[in-house]
Each structure stands twice: as structure tokens, then as C-alpha cells.
Amino acid sequence: MDDNMDFYTSDPEDFSGSEPEDLGGVDSFSGEDSSYRDQLDLNSFSTKRTPSETRSARSASGGGNKKKKRKKRKGGFARAFLSIFLVGIITFCFVFGAFAVYVFGFVDNTVHEDLDELKLDFTTTVYVMDSKTGEYVEYQRLHGEKNRIWVSDEKGEIPQYLKDAFVAIEDKRFFDHNGVDWKRTFSAFANLFFHFFSSNQGGSTITQQLVKNLTGDNSESPMRKIREIMRARYLEEHYYKDTILECYLNTIPMAAGLYGVETAANYYFDKHTSELTLAEAASLAAITKNPERYRPDKKPENNVERRNLVLSEMLDQKMISREEYDAAVAEELHVVADPDSLGEKEINSYFIDTLIEEFIDRLVEEYKFDESHAANNFYNGGYKIYCTLDPAIQEAVEKVTTDPRYALKGANGTTMQASITVMDYEGHIVGIAGGLGEKTVDRGLNRATQSPRQPGSTIKPIAAYAPCVENNLITYSSMIQDKKRMFNGNWTPKNWYGGYYGTRTAAYFLQQSSNAIPVYLIDMLTPQASYDFLTQKLGITTLDAAHDIDYAPLGMGGMYHGLTTRESAAAFAIFGNLGKYYKPTTFVKATDHYDNVVFEQEEPIVAIGEDTANVMNHMLQNVVYGSPATGTGARGYIPHMRIFAKTGTSDNTNDLWFVGGSPYYVASCWSGFDDNQKINSATIAQTIWGKVMSQIHSKLPAKEFPESEYVTCRRYCTSTGLVAKSGCPSTAIGWYKTTYMPVCSTHGGTVLNAVSGSSAGTPTSPGTTSSSPSTSSAA
């Protein structure tokens, strides 16, 4: 007999309580009495008797008819009971065998998540560079429903006593079982019926709990438990115990919307996991039994009681010494429970909004996610984003843009708006605001990135002057006649200053913000070439090919949609970094929570030659320091450094712009009304730009713009606009590419030597003007 049949005894009286009835046959199915063959020999499971022994036993009992009938009834009941019992056992074995075949053959026992590259909902963390140390430090966290930060056991971020605390209280045989602790499982099952323990006993191991956390399979059914057991065994077969424990510690719910030990340590104790004390580690381990009941901030008494139980288990299991136990029990917990310790903000800044937009756009572009999935992936992807923000600059931006003095009122009582983007010369956005006043919602309208507006005259340097200098169509001092010209058959651009100035230098017309001259330059260049330069070299994405490949949009800024301050600042940055275009960005690198690089800042392109950029820089300095010029009001904002700039005003003064840069930063500022009302202040954009930039530069040491070795400072003949000779009667100072500096042929003598150490000169007086037509686009 096999061991499973050991409940049968050798004495037949154990079944019936009396001697067995005479079966009326012999002790063999092959004997003479066929009726014996039809009976079930219950005694075949016990010590056998011969027929004669059976008869002797009946005689000894003194058989009469009544007694025989009574005994027959008793024996029949016993046989029937045992028959049913045996059939039940056989049926159970059959069903159990079939069930086992089904379980092992058909129940899904796999866990599809790769524990070595776990893809769960993890919190995304933004880092900024500490200006004092040059190291990145945590700045803000962004997450979806689950707030979870991964900590690595391999990197030593999880203390041993934290791991021990969870093992001691949750699964003391964790390192011995193969995923299922059968002793606990049977104990928990039996307790459901016999109540050996005062409370229901948990039979799940750490591995089983990890399965539940990974799959979200929480249904109350036997099949769920079976799947869990099978999957736990699967994990144990494919991964090391340390990996399973690490994943468990990073996935467990810890109340307050927290998942994993790191966010719990941050929130409850304002510490990283690696900094926890033994008592704090035990406190976290105490939470898991019932997170809301044992959380240390709202149920401190419950937490301390269970914390001490955890410590007691650790002591009993020889994980800690008596001295460590006593000290931990005596330690008073200092629970912080402060949302600020989680690096969260009630309302995100415009910079964080911009970062979120950029990251989602890159997920859509590079990974082909749809926008909804990309947004969900951003908040739950556990990314580490190393951003470009300078918190001090962002603070300066917000200080100015929330100042009510700059929120002008319109004719219908609405408030004027503004946006500003501040960048360094490597495309890093260091500060940004998408509106005036206090920000009240996350990911609302961000005018710095989402509201293109007509750029007015700020389009002229990037659409007309720069590509013409680059292609040697003009120089700094090229003499151009400001006069009435017709384009597209019968359209004539009109100057904001009324009339025409006659013949002046290209630099002069830029500092005076002529309308007629840049349109003339677009004609020389062709509108298509200008449009291609803006979109292919300067990354402008907001132009409309059906409407903007034309003279007025490209020469005067009357675009169908317009530009944003983000793209405008990036375009003007080429004039301060020797011609390199960097796509504007809010981060230099992003990794997943395993530190695999996901995104890096794109490499720059050469938009224009460094010589062109250097010449344009000097031409744009004249906008501020020339006389007369449209940007002279900005001279005092950064008095210890030179700046370059360009003003801009759209038709009917609906949009005001000021774009300019110092040797440190470039910034673009727009102001106007969302409903396109007329602005009553002609200098509001310049004022906002100046207030922000003056704060940013107040403590920065003086610095010079980079100079190109391929640019030379020369005197030019004021009558021809060409590089001067000794015979030229009147000269002024200009900057030229060494590869293209046409020399005056009208006057004799030798070419004058290069000028060194000179500041930018100013053109001669404007002279007389011709007719005075009405304005079309202001400066």
C-alpha cells in the first residue's frame, strides 16, 4: 500500500464496530461460491482471514436470526460508508490529478515583466545644475497616479537592515523557499476554517506579493491564488532572490499615493532610503500589512506598535543584536510627512510646462507615440531629466512678469499679456514665462511656446540682412537707396518713419528699422531663399508656406501666424555665438530609471559663417548704441557690457517685441493682448526685457562678445560704402568679412590699415527725405 492509504486499519472492527458479516463464500474470487465474487471484500485492505476463521468467529458470537439480521444491517452500513469514502478518495485523486494537469499545462504561469528592466509606473525627476558645485541636484518630481522612485540594491542605495526588516516581518523563510511558503499557505488556509489564530494569516510570500504588484491581479478567487503561486515559482526559477527583493521594495504601496521605499522615506522622514536609521527602516516595514492603518503620520501609535514587532522579529531571527534592538525601540521617530520633501510643486512653473511639452513632443517624434500615450509615458516613465533651468534666472523672470505694474489694461478692460524666453548661447533655456500675473494652472496656455505672433521688425535681421551678408549680397556699409519701389506688380512697402532717407548704409537702415530696404533685400535674395533660411537654418516652425513666402511677411514681419519667443530667441542666438544654431531645449539629457540614455540635446548646425555672425553682431549693436536708433532706451539696462538688439512692432501696434543679447544670454520678449487690441505703450516689451536682463546681469562680471578671426574692423568711404583708401575724403568704421571686403575704386591712394580697439561708429546724418507715405509697420 502507498502512504496515502495509511488511514485504513488492520482491524475490520474499526470500520463497523462489530465483527464482519459472513459473506457466504470463499476467500477467493476464483472459489466455488459465485456470490462472494459480487461482494466487495473490505477486509482485503486489512489482515486476511480464511473462510473457516470467519465461520469460527461467527459461531463464537452465538448467531441467531435476529442477531444475524442486526449484524447484517450494521455491516451493510459500514460497507456502504467505506464504499462511498473510497469512491470519494478515488474521485478526489482523479479530479486532483486532472486539476494538476490543467494547472501545470494550461494556467498562465509567466510574468511578462523583465525584472532586470522593469517597466512600471515610476516618478519622473527633474534635475538642475548647482552653480556652486557644478553637480546636478534634484529640483522637482512629476508623476501620474503612482509616485515611485527606483532605488538600486546594486548601487548600495538600500541598507541591509531595511531589507532584513521586510524579510523578518513579511517572509522569514524568503531565502529558503522556491516562491511559495507551503507551511504558511496551509496554515492560512486551515485558519479560515478552524481559527487557530486570532486574525487571518497571510500566506503570501514576498515573491507572491511582487507578482501581485506587477500584474495587478487582485481578484478574490481560488484561480487568482493559483496563478499567483505558479507565477511566483516562475520568478524564482528565472531571477535571483536579491533581484526579487529589490523589485518588491520598489513596488510596494506605502499609503499617501506612495509606492516603493524611496518615496516613502522621502515623504515620512525627508531622507533617502540609504539614510534611514534602523528604527525608521522598521517603521516602513510596518506599513505594508495595512498601509492606511499603519502609516506613521496619521496612525503613529499603530505604526510604533508594529515597528517594535518588526524589531522583535529581527532580533529573534538574529538579524540585529540586543543592543541594536534596544536602541531602535527607544528611538523616537521624527515623522515629517511633508509634500515638499517629495520635490513636488502645487503649480508648475512655465519652465516645467515647457519641459513637459518638449519631452512629450520628442516621444511623439522619435518613438511614434500618440500624444496621449506620450503624456502618460512621461509622467509614469521614471525618467531622470537633466534640465537647463537656472533657478535664479527663472526667479528673476517670475518676479518681473508677476509685477502688476506691467499688466496694462486694454480698452475693454482686459489685461495685456507678455511672454519672454531667456537662453544661453548653446540653446539652453534658462528662464521662461508664458504670461503675466500669477500662474494658476498646469499646462495651460504658454504664450512663449504656443502663441506665435507677428514679429514685426525683429524678422528683418534674420530673414533679410543676415542671409544677404552671408551670400555677399551686401556688406556692413553697402550703400543702398531708400526709395519707393514696387513689388508683386503694384505693392509698395512704406517706412514707419514716413518718406525715404535716400542713400545710406545697410547698417544704418537696420538700426533705423527701415521697411523698404529689407523688402528690397528679400527681392535680391528671393522670398523662397529667405523662407528656406528661416525654416531650415534657424528652426522656425510656425511659418505658413502658403502665405509667408512673400515680401511683406519676410521683409516686415507680417506673418500669417508669426513667431514664438522661444524660436525668436534661438534664432537671434546665432549673432552671439559665431553663427551656430542650437535648437532651443529645456534639457541636455534624459535617462530612464536604469540610467540608460533616452534623449540628448541635438548637435548644433552652422546657420551662418562666424564672420557673418560677427558682422551682424556689430550691426545690431548699432540698434542700441547708434544715433539715431530704435533701441537706444535699452542702453542702461546692462551698463557694464555691450548688448545687441532689435525692436519690433506689428501693424496697428498689436504686437510689441524686443529681442537682444548680452555676452552671456539672449532673450526675446513679446507683449500684446490675446484679442489683438492696440497697445498704448510703445516700449513695454523693451521695459520687461530690460528689467529681467538687468537683474540677471547685476552680479555678473563684464564680458565681451566673441570675435571672429575672419572679421576685420576697417574704415569705409562714406560716399561709396566700400573699404576706404587714403584718398577717400570722409570715412567711418565698419566690420567686414576678410573674404569679402570690396575696396573703394572712386578715390585713390592705398587701402587703410585695419582699425583695432575701436567701438562701433555711427553713420553720418540721415540727410533729407523724400515723400512721407503713411506707416505700414513700425520699428
Side-chain angles (χ1 to χ4, degrees):
M1 300 302 299
D2 73 31
D3 293 340
N4 291 329
M5 305 300 291
D6 61 4
F7 52 82
Y8 294 107
T9 70
S10 61
D11 190 346
E13 292 189 13
D14 290 339
F15 293 96
S16 65
S18 64
E19 293 181 0
E21 180 184 2
D22 184 1
L23 298 178
V26 297
D27 186 31
S28 171
F29 288 121
S30 61
E32 302 91 358
D33 193 340
S34 62
S35 65
Y36 183 74
R37 191 165 48 243
D38 298 327
Q39 302 292 328
L40 176 65
D41 185 5
L42 300 181
N43 292 322
S44 65
F45 293 100
S46 62
T47 303
K48 297 222 173 192
R49 294 183 181 181
T50 65
S52 60
E53 289 174 324
T54 303
R55 285 191 293 270
S56 297
R58 284 208 309 268
S59 297
S61 63
N65 288 337
K66 287 185 179 180
K67 191 171 185 179
K68 286 182 180 180
K69 289 181 180 179
R70 179 173 57 82
K71 286 188 176 181
K72 187 174 183 178
R73 286 197 298 272
K74 286 187 177 180
F77 176 79
R79 286 195 300 275
F81 174 80
L82 292 175
S83 297
I84 293 170
F85 187 75
L86 182 59
V87 170
I89 291 295
I90 295 171
T91 303
F92 172 80
C93 293
F94 176 78
V95 172
F96 181 81
F99 182 72
V101 170
Y102 169 74
V103 166
F104 287 97
F106 298 98
V107 172
D108 182 11
N109 70 331
T110 58
V111 177
H112 300 288
E113 288 81 0
D114 181 356
L115 298 195
D116 294 321
E117 294 286 338
L118 202 54
K119 304 296 184 184
L120 294 176
D121 291 347
F122 292 107
T123 298
T124 290
T125 306
V126 178
Y127 298 87
V128 299
M129 182 174 289
D130 187 322
S131 59
K132 295 180 180 178
T133 65
E135 300 292 329
Y136 279 100
V137 295
E138 185 177 314
Y139 177 73
Q140 187 172 343
R141 296 180 186 179
L142 302 158
H143 62 85
E145 181 182 351
K146 295 181 178 179
N147 188 357
R148 174 165 35 214
I149 297 289
W150 187 270
V151 282
S152 170
D153 189 27
E154 184 179 355
K155 294 179 180 179
E157 296 172 340
I158 308 176
Q160 183 62 45
Y161 50 75
L162 179 63
K163 294 184 285 185
D164 289 343
F166 278 90
V167 170
I169 196 65
E170 292 293 317
D171 189 2
K172 65 174 65 177
R173 285 179 286 274
F174 172 69
F175 288 101
D176 299 321
H177 61 63
N178 62 351
V180 183
D181 188 336
W182 292 111
K183 181 177 180 180
R184 289 183 65 195
T185 299
F186 288 135
S187 175
F189 179 77
N191 194 58
L192 292 175
F193 301 98
F194 301 108
H195 305 292
F196 297 122
F197 308 103
S198 60
S199 61
N200 289 336
Q201 301 298 298
S204 294
T205 63
I206 281 176
T207 312
Q208 289 173 266
Q209 292 180 55
L210 175 60
V211 168
K212 189 186 300 183
N213 293 339
L214 295 180
T215 62
D217 191 352
N218 294 313
S219 61
E220 295 293 335
S221 68
M223 283 308 301
R224 193 275 299 174
K225 196 66 178 179
I226 291 169
R227 287 193 299 270
E228 181 183 287
I229 290 172
M230 299 297 290
R231 289 167 175 172
R233 291 172 60 85
Y234 173 88
L235 289 183
E236 294 276 349
E237 291 173 0
H238 290 81
Y239 298 98
Y240 293 111
K241 289 280 189 179
D242 288 340
T243 300
I244 292 171
L245 183 57
E246 177 185 3
C247 292
Y248 166 75
L249 292 173
N250 279 287
T251 57
I252 49 176
M254 300 294 281
L258 310 172
Y259 289 80
V261 292
E262 174 66 5
T263 52
N266 299 158
Y267 178 72
Y268 293 119
F269 302 115
D270 195 18
K271 292 182 177 181
H272 291 294
T273 303
S274 59
E275 301 169 333
L276 293 172
T277 66
L278 173 58
E280 291 165 343
S283 176
L284 294 188
I287 297 174
T288 56
K289 179 179 176 63
N290 186 326
E292 288 301 326
R293 182 179 178 183
Y294 292 104
R295 54 188 292 179
D297 57 336
K298 293 187 176 181
K299 302 289 184 179
E301 298 85 0
N302 293 351
N303 181 265
V304 169
E305 180 181 359
R306 187 162 175 80
R307 177 202 70 174
N308 292 342
L309 175 61
V310 173
L311 293 169
S312 177
E313 288 291 335
M314 294 178 75
L315 177 64
D316 290 345
Q317 297 170 43
K318 295 181 172 50
M319 294 175 172
I320 57 175
S321 67
R322 170 59 67 175
E323 291 76 14
E324 290 173 318
Y325 169 81
D326 291 339
V329 168
E331 181 179 325
E332 182 179 352
L333 294 178
H334 297 285
V335 179
V336 178
D338 184 359
D340 288 342
S341 64
L342 295 175
E344 298 176 357
K345 308 290 184 183
E346 184 175 354
I347 298 295
N348 294 333
S349 68
Y350 280 111
F351 179 90
I352 294 298
D353 276 1
T354 305
L355 181 148
I356 294 170
E357 294 165 12
E358 180 185 351
F359 203 97
I360 290 174
D361 286 346
R362 289 194 67 171
L363 288 173
V364 171
E365 178 182 355
E366 299 186 30
Y367 289 91
K368 309 306 178 186
F369 292 169
D370 63 60
E371 189 167 345
S372 176
H373 178 63
N376 182 67
N377 182 267
F378 170 82
Y379 285 106
N380 298 297
Y383 296 108
K384 299 176 183 177
I385 304 176
Y386 301 91
C387 76
T388 61
L389 176 69
D390 185 320
I393 293 178
Q394 183 66 24
E395 183 180 355
V397 168
E398 292 175 1
K399 182 178 179 180
V400 174
T401 55
T402 56
D403 190 329
R405 292 178 295 177
Y406 307 118
L408 307 180
K409 294 296 182 180
N412 59 1
T414 56
T415 303
M416 188 197 76
Q417 283 295 336
S419 63
I420 184 169
T421 302
V422 185
M423 291 174 47
D424 67 15
Y425 288 102
E426 293 182 345
H428 303 149
I429 298 173
V430 294
I432 192 168
L436 294 181
E438 292 291 339
K439 191 171 182 288
T440 58
V441 297
D442 289 335
R443 299 187 67 191
L445 178 61
N446 185 346
R447 296 169 185 82
T449 63
Q450 299 171 331
S451 296
R453 299 293 291 247
Q454 290 191 350
S457 295
T458 62
I459 198 68
K460 298 169 184 176
I462 56 178
Y465 288 92
C468 282
V469 172
E470 175 74 0
N471 289 283
N472 294 332
L473 298 178
I474 60 171
T475 67
Y476 178 97
S477 59
S478 290
M479 289 294 177
I480 307 172
Q481 188 174 13
D482 183 18
K483 66 177 184 178
K484 182 178 180 178
R485 293 185 176 91
M486 297 182 69
F487 302 92
N488 286 337
N490 59 1
W491 177 75
T492 299
K494 299 174 181 179
N495 292 315
W496 68 271
Y497 44 76
Y500 302 96
Y501 280 158
T503 302
R504 296 289 185 269
T505 65
Y508 180 78
F509 287 123
L510 178 58
Q511 76 184 46
Q512 277 291 79
S513 199
S514 166
N515 292 331
I517 299 305
V519 172
Y520 169 68
L521 297 180
I522 294 295
D523 189 55
M524 293 173 59
L525 188 66
T526 76
Q528 185 66 57
S530 174
Y531 177 87
D532 291 344
F533 178 74
L534 292 174
T535 56
Q536 297 174 19
K537 295 291 188 178
L538 298 186
I540 306 298
T541 63
T542 51
L543 302 188
D544 186 300
H547 300 87
D548 292 338
I549 305 177
D550 207 347
Y551 294 99
L554 298 170
M556 299 164 58
M559 269 85 178
Y560 188 72
H561 297 297
L563 273 64
T564 62
T565 60
R566 175 173 58 179
E567 293 191 339
S568 172
F572 269 74
I574 66 174
F575 304 132
N577 68 7
L578 297 178
K580 294 185 290 294
Y581 171 77
Y582 289 85
K583 185 176 181 179
T585 185
T586 53
F587 57 89
V588 295
K589 184 175 74 171
T591 68
D592 61 20
H593 64 275
Y594 292 110
D595 294 327
N596 300 310
V597 175
V598 178
F599 294 130
E600 288 187 286
Q601 182 182 5
E602 297 179 25
E603 292 296 318
I605 64 171
V606 177
I608 53 178
E610 66 176 72
D611 47 4
T612 298
N614 206 168
V615 170
M616 286 297 303
N617 179 285
H618 287 287
M619 292 174 70
L620 288 168
Q621 286 188 42
N622 290 343
V623 173
V624 179
Y625 304 105
S627 181
T630 59
T632 56
R635 290 180 185 177
Y637 289 121
I638 311 176
H640 59 302
M641 280 177 271
R642 301 278 289 191
I643 63 174
F644 68 83
K646 185 68 189 77
T647 58
T649 308
S650 67
D651 280 348
N652 303 316
T653 321
N654 293 333
D655 303 277
L656 289 175
W657 289 76
F658 194 87
V659 189
S662 72
Y664 287 99
Y665 302 106
V666 60
S668 176
C669 181
W670 163 87
S671 61
F673 289 89
D674 289 334
D675 58 359
N676 287 311
Q677 293 183 60
K678 179 182 176 66
I679 304 171
N680 295 321
S681 172
T683 60
I684 186 65
Q686 177 182 292
T687 300
I688 294 173
W689 182 97
K691 293 295 183 182
V692 170
M693 293 291 272
S694 63
Q695 289 189 42
I696 292 172
H697 292 81
S698 62
K699 296 181 181 179
L700 293 177
K703 187 178 179 180
E704 300 289 337
F705 286 108
E707 295 285 348
S708 171
E709 62 180 308
Y710 304 108
V711 170
T712 179
C713 182
R714 298 277 180 162
R715 289 193 172 273
Y716 65 88
C717 177
T718 58
S719 60
T720 65
L722 304 174
V723 173
K725 292 181 178 178
S726 57
C728 294
S730 175
T731 64
I733 292 174
W735 281 262
Y736 304 89
K737 301 192 293 184
T738 57
T739 57
Y740 184 71
M741 47 179 195
V743 177
C744 179
S745 59
T746 302
H747 305 101
T750 59
V751 176
L752 298 179
N753 293 329
V755 178
S756 60
S758 298
S759 60
T762 56
T764 55
S765 61
T768 60
T769 62
S770 57
S771 59
S772 302
S774 60
T775 63
S776 173
S777 178

